[in-house]
Structures are given as structure tokens and as C-alpha cells.
Amino acid sequence: MSDYLATGALPDEYQQLAKTVADFAKTVVAPVAAEHDANHTFPYEVVAGMADMGLFGLPFPEEYGGMGGDYFALCLALEELGKVDQSVAITLEAGVSLGAMPIYRFGNEAQKEEWLPQLTSGKSLAAFGLTEPGAGSDAGGTKTTAKFDSGEWIINGNKQFITNSGTDITKLVTVTAVTGVKDGGKKEISTILVPTTTPGFTAEPAYNKVGWNASDTHPLTFADVRVPEENLLGERGRGYANFLRILDEGRIAISALSVGAAQGCVDESIKYAKEREAFGRPIGHNQAIAFKIARMEARAHVARTAYYDAAALMLSGKPFKKQASIAKLISSEAAMDNARDATQIHGGYGFMNEYAVARHYRDSKILEIGEGTTEVQLMLIAREAGL
């Protein structure tokens, strides 16, 4: 994949994957996107289709039910889905990079064998329980607790804005919780696997959101939730550090989704500019419109190059934290800027929810917030630059 940056051509297997997902997005996702968005319904039939295609198993080994691909393959799929429906794309992104990936990265063999085949098949979903009412960008402010007693973890606390946490196929939530105090008084934060059928676990009513209306998002409550000792994921006290690694990877995936959104706005605007006539000719013949679309295309291209670069570093085993933050910063802003410009190009029609650009306008804002805000990315980039 890294050869792309030098040659401009993706290997055949990546090109074929992108084409297959693009066809699926056009024929299966697009026809129902507006309805699910309007009704705030989870697209179970679309998710089932993605599961049948093996998309939830893309970056995982075949021994765990995966497709034997890599993280870049996931990113290509997210980009194609993001062009059409961000809700569907974030369902896949969260299901893989936030749901299954922590178990693959940090789980023991028993945990992998129990959970990964379910998750890589797409028949079940897992969620990533990090954010709390008082701990968003400052994840170290975690207040949820897990006390160890008689061979069990007893969990109490709340999480919020958790994707894929309340669907009919959600089977697991990985939770960050304070499990003690380290030397110096700092919180010891660990990660614990909580099956959704565990007594005391509640997915509260879904949020009424500005966008991503077909994505499942809930606050969660843990009231004396008891799980066995072996549900500890990874080393005790390493939960925060491990989740930071997951977020670094996830930022590349969110960048890919954002690029898809940015490119989708370009594609819709080009189509509209060729069809819509004003003053006797297509509006695309007007330099003001043509130049606006040209800038939109440039934003999408630069953002795509950024996430390709970050993914190449990650897959080669090189440091990629700064590049992931750069990609996330550039691509999320490109998505929001392109959504605004696309809405303007469409005029009154761009303000109608049945148009894809209207959904992108509502959906894209969260891309500048979720998995690390714009301000957090700037902080991380500055820190990596030595400031």
C-alpha cells in the first residue's frame, strides 16, 4: 500500500475491495439512507449485508473468523461507505476499531476465541465505553469504578455517547474503570469486558442527535455490575494507555470516513452543477461554482493522502501518532467545509433532508469532535513536534 504514495496506484486487491464496497454503498445503502435517517432507525438489513461481505472481519486473521486483511482495507471500505451514509460507516468503524480491536490487541487467547469470531462475523457488535459525563477529552477524569471482591469485579458508574451500545445485536461493552490508586495518587485505570446481559448493565434511551441519526448511540449505566476476574482486558492499570493506542488507530479510520464524506459532497455537487440550470446554462459553467468545487476536490485529495500516509506508517510498524492526528484534523475539517460548500451549491435543495448533502452537513460536525476533538489533535501535533 505504501507504494501508492510514490506511484499513485493502489494494488489490485485494494482497488477491487473499494469497488465492491462502492457498489454495495450505491445499490444497498443509498436507497434506504434517507428513510433510516428520517426515522432514526438502525439499519439492521444494511449491517447484515456488510456482515455477509466480511467487512467486520477485514483487518483480523482468519483464525478468528476474519478476512486476513489489514487496517488500510478497513479504511478503504469506510471511505466508500462514508460517501453515501456516515451512519452506516461509523457503525462499521466503531464495530471494528473500537469494538473488536481492543480484544484483538490486548485480550488473552481465551478472550479472543470467545469474542472475536462473533464480532468479526458482524453477527454481534461490541462497544467502547470510555467517555463519561465529566470525562471526554480528559479521559483521565474517569469516575466509573471497578472494585475487586471475591473473584469478581463490581462496576459502578456511567458512560455517555457510546456507539453501537444498545442494538439488538450488541453483546459486549469494553469499559474503562478506576481499579485502584497508583503510587503518587494517580488513578489506576483498567479495562473490563462487560457482556450486555449482565445484571445491573443498562443502555439508557438513545440520544436525539443532530446527525448520524441511523447510528446507535446511548448513555450507559452500571449499577453493581458483577463480572468474573478473567474479564479484565489486558494488564491491570494499563487500560488508559491501551485505549490511547486504540484511539490513535481509530483516528486513521475516522479520517478515512471523513474523506469519504468530503468526496461524497464533491460528487453530489458535480452532478448537481451539471444538471441545475440558471440564467440559461448549467450552474457549473459559472466560475464561482466551478472554483468552489475545485477547492472541495483539493481538500478531499489532501485529506486522503494524509490518511494513506498515516496508515502506511502504522502498517510498517513505525511511529504514526502525529500523522494520525494530522490526518484526523485535516480530513474532519475537509468534510465539514465541503458539506457547507455543497449545501451552498445546492441552494434551497441543499437544505432539504432528503438530499445527501443535507445529511452530510448535519453528520460532518461530529467528525471534528468524536475520537479526539480538533483542539486535542492540535495539542497532540504540537506535542509530537516538541512543543
Side-chain angles (χ1 to χ4, degrees):
M1 185 277 293
S2 59
D3 291 342
Y4 170 80
L5 296 176
T7 66
L10 288 176
D12 289 343
E13 63 268 25
Y14 288 129
Q15 292 188 45
Q16 185 57 46
L17 170 65
K19 182 180 183 301
T20 300
V21 179
D23 290 343
F24 176 81
K26 180 179 179 180
T27 60
V28 177
V29 181
V32 299
E35 179 181 358
H36 280 298
D37 177 79
N39 295 330
H40 294 219
T41 50
F42 188 75
Y44 286 101
E45 76 282 13
V46 173
V47 172
M50 292 194 294
D52 290 341
M53 293 171 66
L55 298 189
F56 287 92
L58 275 174
F60 301 105
E62 294 178 6
E63 65 182 292
Y64 299 119
M67 298 294 288
D70 57 30
Y71 209 84
F72 184 65
L74 170 66
C75 289
L76 290 177
L78 291 171
E79 181 179 344
E80 295 302 329
L81 293 170
K83 292 177 182 178
V84 174
D85 188 344
Q86 291 187 44
S87 288
V88 167
I90 194 59
T91 298
L92 175 62
E93 191 276 338
V96 175
S97 69
L98 300 182
M101 193 59 71
I103 298 172
Y104 177 63
R105 294 288 186 216
F106 310 116
N108 58 41
E109 196 58 34
Q111 291 167 338
K112 292 177 183 180
E113 290 178 357
E114 178 179 3
W115 291 107
L116 286 181
Q118 300 181 52
L119 302 178
T120 59
S121 72
K123 305 304 181 183
S124 298
L125 293 175
F128 175 98
L130 176 66
T131 304
E132 298 186 359
S137 297
D138 178 18
T142 299
K143 293 183 178 179
T144 295
T145 62
K147 296 182 179 180
F148 189 69
D149 180 59
S150 302
E152 291 183 318
W153 294 104
I154 306 173
I155 305 169
N156 284 280
N158 303 92
K159 301 291 180 177
Q160 67 177 11
F161 310 145
I162 310 302
T163 305
N164 291 347
S165 58
T167 74
D168 293 343
I169 58 174
T170 301
K171 303 299 182 184
L172 181 73
V173 177
T174 302
V175 181
T176 53
V178 179
T179 53
V181 180
K182 295 182 178 181
D183 293 340
K186 290 186 177 181
K187 295 177 181 178
E188 174 192 84
I189 298 178
S190 305
T191 47
I192 300 173
L193 303 174
V194 179
T196 55
T197 55
T198 308
F201 169 85
T202 304
E204 304 293 349
Y207 293 101
N208 183 11
K209 298 171 291 187
V210 171
W212 285 4
N213 288 327
S215 166
D216 178 80
T217 318
H218 296 260
L220 306 178
T221 299
F222 301 84
D224 288 332
V225 171
R226 292 175 175 265
V227 297
E229 178 181 6
E230 56 265 28
N231 281 32
L232 180 71
L233 181 65
E235 181 182 346
R236 178 170 176 170
R238 292 286 300 169
Y240 185 46
N242 289 346
F243 268 95
L244 289 179
R245 161 73 188 209
I246 292 297
L247 288 174
D248 286 340
E249 295 179 0
R251 283 165 187 149
I252 302 176
I254 287 292
S255 180
L257 191 164
S258 301
V259 169
Q263 189 65 54
C265 288
V266 174
D267 297 344
E268 292 293 326
S269 295
I270 291 173
K271 178 182 177 182
Y272 186 80
K274 289 179 177 179
E275 296 174 350
R276 172 67 170 173
E277 292 191 358
F279 305 105
R281 62 177 185 173
I283 64 172
H285 289 187
N286 299 321
Q287 195 175 74
I289 300 296
F291 280 13
K292 191 182 290 290
I293 294 175
R295 287 190 179 277
M296 293 167 63
E297 178 73 10
R299 291 186 195 116
H301 175 79
V302 170
R304 180 179 297 108
T305 301
Y307 99 68
Y308 277 24
D309 179 46
L313 289 172
M314 174 188 163
L315 294 181
S316 65
K318 298 177 181 177
F320 65 93
K321 180 186 289 287
K322 180 174 71 174
Q323 287 77 10
S325 286
I326 290 172
K328 205 272 185 181
L329 171 71
I330 291 174
S331 61
S332 60
E333 290 186 342
M336 192 68 243
D337 289 344
N338 279 13
R340 183 185 61 248
D341 285 350
T343 301
Q344 190 70 23
I345 289 167
H346 280 69
Y349 291 109
F351 204 62
M352 301 296 111
N353 277 328
E354 62 264 30
Y355 280 76
V357 296
R359 294 201 306 276
H360 278 309
Y361 188 79
R362 290 185 287 104
D363 289 346
S364 293
K365 183 58 196 173
I366 190 60
L367 296 170
E368 297 181 310
I369 298 171
E371 294 204 35
T373 64
T374 295
E375 292 74 20
V376 165
Q377 303 317 311
L378 291 169
M379 178 185 70
L380 292 173
I381 294 166
R383 183 182 298 164
E384 289 293 311
L387 298 175

